[in-house]
């Protein structure tokens, strides 16, 4: 008997074994997708991991239901990559599979509910149940989700369960297929009409029917049929639009055997026929850096390009990509955020045309599947439709590459490369290095402000390092000016609430010169919170332990963690005082204050709240580029690698917010953020200015920013990291315990920490509440494991799992949730 071990898209600790019927043996191959039943008659798409003859000891196997693929969808190399991720990040391979493959390729069954009998005894049913029955009568069968929508009831599962017990309804599983190929209708001349003589006769016949003739002429025109060269495909919909002729007339021509319709499957990927440009000439510094990178790849697999802001790193990438493509290799170009891609996509498409694909989890499922298929199906031969360069965010490391030559990780220091939830909690930058190894490919990381780990690896010669200190076109680094808000507050010199004299004066000069301004504020909303001036009461989220943020335009209070919103209170809910005030300030409040000083300037705001969609984000960027916005206010989003030519002033509204953040990376990140934001100032022709408002002008990080001294920041920070046993000297593993009840959480976290201390000793810290101790109704406590870098991952994992399993034996702990996050930063 033949068995297969399968990867299921669920967090199982082990692979699951199924048996295979004789007829399917021929089709078995590792990496193919199969459909199997698991658990309560639910169907899943599972991947064949191993084929063998060993019957599992502890359970009866089920047969696999079918094999979907003719060729493997997942390569052996990908499976190896998944295994590495599962092992390093302490997740299951099923979780990696779930994250890696677009859901449209993982057909899953959906539970449908239907009535057992036509005639129902309504006596035993309550009102809510009756509503469910009425809906099922009307629609025959419904999924849980649809039923919930139609009945507008909460806790529908609970009611469905009770109806199941009463034997009134039944369920069945139905496969839902999410991906459909896109078909368009094409108009062609029939073979009869294609004949020259016949066509002449048709013209004669139609002479007295001008509308018919008009339609036919239009077709001939658009399709270029008479030009004798290649006849172009004409879409039916377009032809009708262009001709402004009714469908009836079109159908009549079909009846007369003149037109026929063909179905054509088309890709969803955009294709353009633009004439491609050559990569632009590099300056001497760039040329030198390019040569150094290429030489470094002879010796090492990973290189760090440490180039100041606007030193033209992208141009260097483009030249490297070009060389890989000529060798027939694929290139993965990772970016920290999709928002950034707008400017870069255009640049790459101008040069590489249709070879560039963009991959992002926010894209429509079908679009992602087509990119997946395109990469999977390209074998060795060159085709002009083959995607060779994938531009994407972290999830694009999972695409089915088979001939990768180079991975570029732009802005490698950004924390968006790390996935925190759900598992696998991987870092795309670090896993990319493993991916490259599997392909024998090279990795290039680029940034002006390397993460300490990466710079440490470069200093220790694990990576090579290439410096690019000259800014492109000799643009000078901006002048950094400190505005001391401590003194300004004391002397009551703050203008409005948030502006120093220094900042306003410089803004005025810039606006008079028709230059643009960026104001950076790392808080969203109108003001972080509302406070009662009488009793100090602050409205909080009912699900999380956070203050609600106030949004003036929408007139609402909202929670950033769970999305909960409510109307702002008119009176204090504690003391009923009406003396409520906005405290602190966010981007929206600054937006409101500026017109007091600069009534004629046009203001734009960019933060997560108004850039939920890619379109709205692109819209703001493009308006700013075209000079339709004078002052752009934004959160960290504006620090991320955008290039604007006309910005002369960057204002950092409150540096203290950054410096005082409670996290071991706070100072490193403050430096990175301020240096990156500053890099947006002064691009062409003129030196820009950066104005930093802070109460701590002598803070060492502020000094490092003024002097543009990365090395000094690095050395000071590394001393701290070494002393307090933080990365890159030690490895961190964060264990988060969650429960709805505080008491159970405390008990579970304490017991787990105690178990862990027995094994790991003083390497265990906590348990402690995180800065927000309740999120979405769950209380949280963290336990930190700081472990020496040379300790074996497998052993650590083994002991950690043992301690967690041990907790599961205590009867109170059944519903305790325990999450593990490796390298949680
Ligand atoms: Zn009050
Ligand atoms: Zn909340």
């Amino acid at each position: 008997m033949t068995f297969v071990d399968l990867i299921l898209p669920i967090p199982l600790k082990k692979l699951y074994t199924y048996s295979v019927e004789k007829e399917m043996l021929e089709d078995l191959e590792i990496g193919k997708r199969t459909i199997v039943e698991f658990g309560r008659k639910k169907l899943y798409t599972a991947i064949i991991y191993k084929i063998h003859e060993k019957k599992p000891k502890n359970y009866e196997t089920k047969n696999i239901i079918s094999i979907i693929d003719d060729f493997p969808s997942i390569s052996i190399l990908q499976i190896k990559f998944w295994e590495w991720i599962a092992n390093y990040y302490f997740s299951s391979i099923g979780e990696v599979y779930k994250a890696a493959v677009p859901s449209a390729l993982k057909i899953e069954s959906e539970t449908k509910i239907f009535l057992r009998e036509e005639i129902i005894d309504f006596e035993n049913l309550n009102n809510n149940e009756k509503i469910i029955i009425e809906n099922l009568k009307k629609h025959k069968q419904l999924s849980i989700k649809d039923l919930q929508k139609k009945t507008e009831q909460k806790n529908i599962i609970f009611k469905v369960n009770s109806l199941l017990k009463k034997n009134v309804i039944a369920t069945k599983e139905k496969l839902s297929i999410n991906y459909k190929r896109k078909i368009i209708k094409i108009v062609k001349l029939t073979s009869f009409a294609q004949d020259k003589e016949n066509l002449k006769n048709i013209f004669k016949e139609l002479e007295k029917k001008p509308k018919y003739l008009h339609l036919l002429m239009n077709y001939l025109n658009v399709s270029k049929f008479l030009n004798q060269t290649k006849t172009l495909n004409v879409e039916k919909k377009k032809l009708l639009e262009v001709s402004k002729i009714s469908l009836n007339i079109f159908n009549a021509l079909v009846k007369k055997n003149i037109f026929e319709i063909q179905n054509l499957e088309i890709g969803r990927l955009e294709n353009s026929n633009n004439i491609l440009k050559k990569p632009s000439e590099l300056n001497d510094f760039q040329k030198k850096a390019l040569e150094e990178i290429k030489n470094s790849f002879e010796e090492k697999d990973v290189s760090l390009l440490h180039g100041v802001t606007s030193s033209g790193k992208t141009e260097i990438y483009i030249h490297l990509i070009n060389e890989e493509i000529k060798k027939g290799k694929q290139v993965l170009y990772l970016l920290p955020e999709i928002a950034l891609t707008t400017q870069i996509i255009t640049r790459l498409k101008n040069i590489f045309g249709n070879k560039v694909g963009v991959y992002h989890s926010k894209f429509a499922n079908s679009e992602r599947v087509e990119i997946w298929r395109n990469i999977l199906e390209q074998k060795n031969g060159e085709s002009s439709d083959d995607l060779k360069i994938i531009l994407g965010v972290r999830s694009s490391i999972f695409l089915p590459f088979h001939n990768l030559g180079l991975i570029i990780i732009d802005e490698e220091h950004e924390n968006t490369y790390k996935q925190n939830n759900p598992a696998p909690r991987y870092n795309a930058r670090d896993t990319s290095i493993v991916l490259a190894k599997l392909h024998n490919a090279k990795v290039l990381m680029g940034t002006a402000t390397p993460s300490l780990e990466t710079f440490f690896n470069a200093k220790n010669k694990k990576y090579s390092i290439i410096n690019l200190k000259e800014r492109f076109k000799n643009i000078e680094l901006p002048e950094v000016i400190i505005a001391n808000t401590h003194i300004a507050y004391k002397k009551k010199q703050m203008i409005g609430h948030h502006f120093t004299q220094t900042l306003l004066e410089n803004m005025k000069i810039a606006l008079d010169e028709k230059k643009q301004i960026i104001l950076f504020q790392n808080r969203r909303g109108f003001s972080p919170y509302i406070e009662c001036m009488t009793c100090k009461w602050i409205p909080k989220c009912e699900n999380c332990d956070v203050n609600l943020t106030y949004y003036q335009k929408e007139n609402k209070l909202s929670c950033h963690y769970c999305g909960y919103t409510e109307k702002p209170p008119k009176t204090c809910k504690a003391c009923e005082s009406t003396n409520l005030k906005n405290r602190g300030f966010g981007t929206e409040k600054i937006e409101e204050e500026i017109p007091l000083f600069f009534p004629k300037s046009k203001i734009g705001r960019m933060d997560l709240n108004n850039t939920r969609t890619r379109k709205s984000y692109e819209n703001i960027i493009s308006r700013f580029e075209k000079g339709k916005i004078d002052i752009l206010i934004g959160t960290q989003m504006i620090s991320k690698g955008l290039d604007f030519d006309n910005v002369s002033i960057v204002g950092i509204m409150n540096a203290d917010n950054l410096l005082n953040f409670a996290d071991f990376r706070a100072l490193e990140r403050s430096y990175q953020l301020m240096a990156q934001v500053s890099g947006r100032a002064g691009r062409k022709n003129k030196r820009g200015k950066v104005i930093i408002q802070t109460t701590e002008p002598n803070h060492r990080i502020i000094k490092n920013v003024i002097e543009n001294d990365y090395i000094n920041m690095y050395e000071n920070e590394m001393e701290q990291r070494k002393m307090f046993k933080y990365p890159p000297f030690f490895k961190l593993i964060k264990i988060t315990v969650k429960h709805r009840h505080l008491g159970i959480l405390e008990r579970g976290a304490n017991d787990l920490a105690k178990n862990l201390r027995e094994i790991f000793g003083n390497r265990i810290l906590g348990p402690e509440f995180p800065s927000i101790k309740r999120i979405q109704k769950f209380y949280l406590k963290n336990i930190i494991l700081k472990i020496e870098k040379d300790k074996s991952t497998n052993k650590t994992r083994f002991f950690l799992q043992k301690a967690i399993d041990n907790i599961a034996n205590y009867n109170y702990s059944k519903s305790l949730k325990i999450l593990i996050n490796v390298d949680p930063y």
Side-chain angles (χ1 to χ4, degrees):
M1 185 87 182
T2 301
F3 297 96
V4 284
D5 292 348
L6 300 180
I7 306 171
L8 282 131
I10 35 182
L12 299 170
K13 279 187 191 162
K14 288 177 184 156
L15 296 167
Y16 225 72
T17 306
Y18 284 78
S19 39
V20 185
E21 279 173 279
K22 266 201 185 123
E23 308 85 75
M24 287 189 201
L25 286 180
E26 253 180 32
D27 293 331
L28 279 187
E29 200 174 337
I30 291 171
K32 279 188 181 177
R33 291 175 300 154
T34 63
I35 299 279
V36 294
E37 203 180 274
F38 184 83
R40 275 198 201 156
K41 304 218 159 167
K42 204 158 157 54
L43 302 178
Y44 288 99
T45 306
I47 309 287
I48 302 178
Y49 175 85
K50 198 175 166 188
I51 304 163
H52 59 89
E53 313 284 318
K54 242 178 150 177
K55 191 177 160 47
K57 276 182 201 152
N58 302 328
Y59 56 95
E60 281 301 311
T61 54
K62 287 182 196 164
N63 281 335
I64 56 175
I65 295 169
S66 69
I67 297 175
I68 313 175
D69 291 322
D70 294 330
F71 300 98
S73 277
I74 309 298
S75 66
I76 291 177
L77 206 140
Q78 275 176 292
I79 292 176
K80 271 192 193 163
F81 183 48
W82 292 2
E83 278 186 301
W84 185 89
I85 291 176
N87 188 45
Y88 183 87
Y89 291 104
F90 294 13
S91 71
S92 71
I93 194 162
E95 286 169 318
V96 183
Y97 162 40
K98 193 159 195 257
V101 178
S103 56
L105 291 176
K106 296 180 299 238
I107 306 158
E108 248 176 58
S109 65
E110 204 179 11
T111 308
K112 295 272 184 187
I113 301 158
F114 59 95
L115 294 176
R116 276 188 183 277
E117 312 276 337
E118 282 299 305
I119 302 147
I120 311 275
D121 179 11
F122 275 88
E123 291 276 292
N124 295 324
L125 306 179
N126 64 34
N127 271 343
N128 284 333
E129 289 171 341
K130 281 178 195 159
I131 297 173
I132 294 179
I133 302 295
E134 288 306 327
N135 270 286
L136 287 173
K137 271 192 170 166
K138 212 157 91 194
H139 300 281
K140 296 273 187 292
Q141 57 176 40
L142 285 170
S143 67
I144 300 265
K145 217 162 119 198
D146 289 339
L147 197 58
Q148 181 135 13
K149 250 189 232 157
K150 295 231 151 59
T151 58
E152 292 173 352
Q153 291 186 22
K154 281 181 185 169
N155 285 328
I156 195 93
I157 298 249
F158 188 69
K159 290 158 200 160
V160 166
N161 259 338
S162 111
L163 285 170
L164 276 170
K165 275 185 201 147
K166 290 176 186 166
N167 243 337
V168 181
I169 59 170
T171 62
K172 65 180 171 195
E173 295 292 312
K174 247 196 141 176
L175 283 182
S176 64
I177 297 172
N178 302 316
Y179 172 72
K180 283 202 194 88
R181 295 185 181 247
K182 196 174 174 185
I183 306 278
I184 56 168
K185 287 188 160 47
I186 295 292
V187 183
K188 288 234 147 104
L189 289 183
T190 57
S191 53
F192 167 78
Q194 281 183 25
D195 180 88
K196 284 278 152 63
E197 279 304 307
N198 291 341
L199 192 59
K200 257 186 209 165
N201 292 331
I202 291 168
F203 269 107
K204 258 184 215 159
E205 192 198 322
L206 294 182
E207 245 170 16
K208 282 175 193 149
K209 295 179 170 172
K211 281 187 180 169
Y212 289 61
L213 202 58
H214 174 73
L215 184 60
L216 180 58
M217 290 298 287
N218 258 324
Y219 170 80
L220 294 173
N221 218 345
V222 179
S223 68
K224 305 202 167 144
F225 178 78
L226 295 174
N227 294 10
Q228 297 297 339
T229 50
K230 206 179 147 198
T231 308
L232 301 177
N233 280 335
V234 178
E235 200 181 332
K236 179 180 160 193
K237 204 172 122 204
K238 290 236 172 83
L239 180 66
L240 289 175
E241 267 169 30
V242 172
S243 319
K244 297 198 178 73
I245 293 269
S246 76
L247 188 63
N248 285 341
I249 291 175
F250 179 87
N251 287 339
L253 287 182
V254 175
K255 255 192 188 152
K256 283 177 187 294
N257 197 23
I258 298 170
F259 283 160
E260 63 182 359
I261 298 171
Q262 263 179 18
N263 287 332
L264 182 73
E265 188 193 328
I266 55 154
R268 286 181 175 80
L269 308 178
E270 247 175 75
N271 271 325
S272 69
N273 297 314
N274 292 344
I275 296 160
L276 301 182
K277 287 184 197 153
K278 283 203 167 141
S280 45
E281 274 288 309
L282 298 182
N283 69 25
D284 289 347
F285 303 106
Q286 289 171 318
K287 265 187 205 155
K288 191 168 157 273
L290 179 64
E291 279 314 305
E292 281 176 20
I293 293 167
K294 286 200 282 186
N295 290 336
S296 78
F297 282 154
E298 306 272 316
E299 285 175 26
K300 297 210 167 83
D301 292 334
V302 184
S303 277
L304 167 65
L305 176 59
H306 184 195
V308 290
T309 48
S310 33
S311 52
K313 290 189 285 289
T314 314
E315 284 308 318
I316 298 177
Y317 300 158
I318 288 173
H319 281 254
L320 281 166
I321 292 170
N322 203 19
E323 290 182 20
E324 290 301 317
I325 304 253
K326 278 185 193 154
K327 288 187 244 168
K329 297 275 190 177
Q330 299 165 326
V331 177
L332 172 60
Y333 187 147
L334 286 173
L335 289 155
E337 219 176 295
I338 198 62
L340 285 180
T341 48
T342 322
Q343 287 180 326
I344 294 172
I345 294 171
T346 319
R347 276 167 88 178
L348 289 179
K349 285 221 161 159
N350 284 340
I351 294 164
F352 302 110
N354 299 336
K355 289 196 173 85
V356 182
V358 183
Y359 192 76
H360 188 277
S361 53
K362 269 189 195 155
F363 285 2
N365 224 319
S366 38
E367 232 172 290
R368 287 158 65 206
V369 172
E370 295 213 359
I371 291 186
W372 184 284
R373 297 225 148 162
N374 184 306
I375 294 176
L376 184 70
E377 282 158 19
Q378 40 179 283
K379 290 295 170 210
N380 299 315
E382 268 293 301
S383 154
S384 58
D385 293 332
D386 281 354
L387 295 172
K388 290 291 178 192
I389 308 151
I390 296 296
L391 206 62
V393 292
R394 57 174 185 249
S395 56
S396 40
I397 58 170
F398 292 118
L399 283 165
F401 299 107
H402 49 82
N403 193 16
L404 206 51
L406 174 69
I407 303 178
I408 293 167
I409 307 168
D410 197 25
E411 310 292 345
E412 65 80 28
H413 63 279
E414 287 285 353
N415 58 356
T416 41
Y417 284 123
K418 167 77 178 175
Q419 161 138 331
N420 283 311
N421 273 312
R425 301 180 174 86
Y426 64 99
N427 185 315
R429 176 194 63 202
D430 302 340
T431 44
S432 284
I433 294 172
V434 178
L435 180 66
K437 261 222 168 85
L438 290 168
H439 284 271
N440 271 324
K442 303 293 177 186
V443 176
L444 178 66
M445 300 187 190
T447 173
T449 53
S451 63
L452 296 193
E453 309 88 75
T454 298
F455 201 71
F456 178 74
N457 282 330
K459 282 201 107 181
N460 288 331
K461 313 253 188 268
K462 206 169 149 192
Y463 307 162
S464 35
I465 181 163
I466 287 95
N467 288 304
L468 189 58
K469 288 188 176 141
E470 301 301 319
R471 291 186 113 196
F472 199 56
K473 289 177 184 157
N474 293 326
I475 307 159
E476 278 182 277
L477 274 171
E479 177 189 358
V480 180
I481 299 166
I482 300 298
N484 189 332
T485 44
H486 184 68
I487 294 174
Y489 275 120
K490 241 182 171 173
K491 294 190 177 166
K492 300 212 159 66
Q493 284 169 343
M494 288 302 275
I495 302 169
H497 287 283
H498 314 297
F499 290 86
T500 53
Q501 192 71 40
T502 317
L503 179 57
L504 283 181
E505 276 166 10
N506 280 292
M507 284 174 74
K508 185 173 184 313
I509 295 169
L511 291 172
D512 287 346
E513 287 173 354
K514 302 262 178 273
K515 297 283 180 198
Q516 287 170 301
I517 295 166
I518 290 178
L519 296 179
F520 169 76
Q521 169 60 29
N522 64 331
R523 278 207 176 135
R524 292 187 256 153
F526 183 74
S527 80
Y529 57 95
I530 287 176
E531 191 178 38
C532 167
M533 299 318 280
T534 314
C535 77
K536 299 290 167 199
W537 172 79
I538 295 167
K540 287 189 188 252
C541 176
E542 55 178 43
N543 306 317
C544 318
D545 178 37
V546 288
N547 298 336
L548 290 168
T549 302
Y550 176 50
Y551 291 93
Q552 190 189 40
K553 269 194 192 146
E554 294 100 334
N555 190 34
K556 66 172 187 188
L557 292 168
S558 165
C559 170
H560 287 177
Y561 288 86
C562 71
Y564 169 85
T565 60
E566 62 177 47
K567 282 257 166 248
K570 291 206 168 65
T571 55
C572 168
K573 282 187 188 167
C575 75
E576 292 184 4
S577 152
T578 50
N579 192 7
L580 298 175
K581 272 205 170 147
N582 304 321
R583 309 295 287 173
F585 68 111
T587 43
E588 210 185 297
K589 187 133 192 202
I590 294 172
E591 184 185 17
E592 192 203 60
E593 225 169 73
I594 293 173
L596 303 177
F597 320 120
F598 307 111
K600 280 181 194 155
S601 61
K602 286 158 285 176
I603 302 161
R605 177 168 60 87
M606 188 159 82
D607 53 42
L608 257 183
N609 284 83
N610 66 353
T611 54
R612 293 244 184 260
T613 64
R614 195 157 137 235
K615 273 256 150 59
S616 59
Y617 179 90
E618 281 170 15
N619 195 4
I620 297 174
I621 300 277
S622 114
R623 276 168 56 217
F624 194 56
E625 273 174 341
K626 287 178 189 149
K628 288 180 183 163
I629 293 173
D630 303 311
I631 304 171
L632 181 64
I633 307 156
T635 53
Q636 11 264 64
M637 293 185 93
I638 54 168
S639 75
K640 294 178 201 268
L642 294 166
D643 285 341
F644 301 112
D645 282 337
N646 196 35
V647 173
S648 73
I649 299 281
V650 167
I652 295 173
M653 299 305 294
N654 187 351
D656 302 3
N657 278 344
L658 300 170
L659 296 169
N660 299 329
F661 199 74
D663 177 80
F664 79 96
R665 303 193 78 178
L667 296 185
E668 177 194 353
R669 290 222 186 282
S670 306
Y671 178 86
Q672 285 161 343
L673 252 170
M674 284 191 268
Q676 293 282 351
V677 175
S678 306
R680 310 300 127 217
R683 309 292 288 195
K684 265 180 197 162
N685 307 326
K686 217 188 152 197
R687 191 172 182 204
K689 277 183 192 168
V690 177
I691 289 119
I692 302 180
Q693 301 196 129
T694 176
T695 57
E696 297 181 76
N698 294 320
H699 197 291
R700 73 174 158 85
I701 292 293
I702 301 275
K703 287 199 160 144
N704 291 153
V705 174
I706 297 173
E707 282 152 20
N708 190 33
D709 194 346
Y710 175 84
I711 301 293
N712 187 270
M713 183 281 292
Y714 171 80
E715 281 165 358
N716 283 328
E717 279 303 292
M718 289 300 270
E719 235 171 75
Q720 304 278 319
R721 299 278 178 97
K722 198 168 194 172
M723 199 147 58
F724 298 108
K725 298 189 174 174
Y726 276 109
F729 301 103
F730 279 71
K731 184 167 167 168
L732 287 192
I733 298 173
K734 183 168 86 179
I735 302 126
T736 303
V737 188
K738 290 171 72 167
H739 202 277
R740 280 171 185 269
H741 299 287
L742 187 59
I744 296 177
L745 170 87
E746 298 259 26
R747 226 176 123 186
N750 287 337
D751 286 345
L752 181 59
K754 195 171 142 257
N755 285 348
L756 287 168
R757 273 204 181 87
E758 276 167 21
I759 306 161
F760 295 104
N762 61 6
R763 295 184 188 89
I764 295 291
L765 302 178
E768 254 173 55
F769 284 117
S771 56
I772 293 151
K773 64 179 182 182
R774 186 165 166 254
I775 294 181
Q776 295 183 356
K777 298 201 159 116
F778 279 88
Y779 288 97
L780 313 170
K781 264 198 155 172
N782 290 331
I783 298 169
I784 300 283
L785 168 59
K786 284 183 184 173
I787 195 153
E788 294 85 345
K789 290 218 109 173
D790 53 4
K791 290 272 185 288
S792 133
T793 302
N794 285 339
K795 271 193 190 156
T796 308
R797 183 194 175 120
F798 173 81
F799 286 121
L800 198 55
Q801 196 58 54
K802 209 173 138 187
I804 290 171
D805 291 346
N806 201 352
I807 286 289
N809 293 332
Y810 303 159
N811 57 14
Y812 70 86
S813 69
K814 286 273 176 306
S815 47
L816 218 51
K817 284 192 176 91
I818 299 174
L819 316 177
I820 300 177
N821 193 341
V822 178
D823 304 340
Y825 48 86

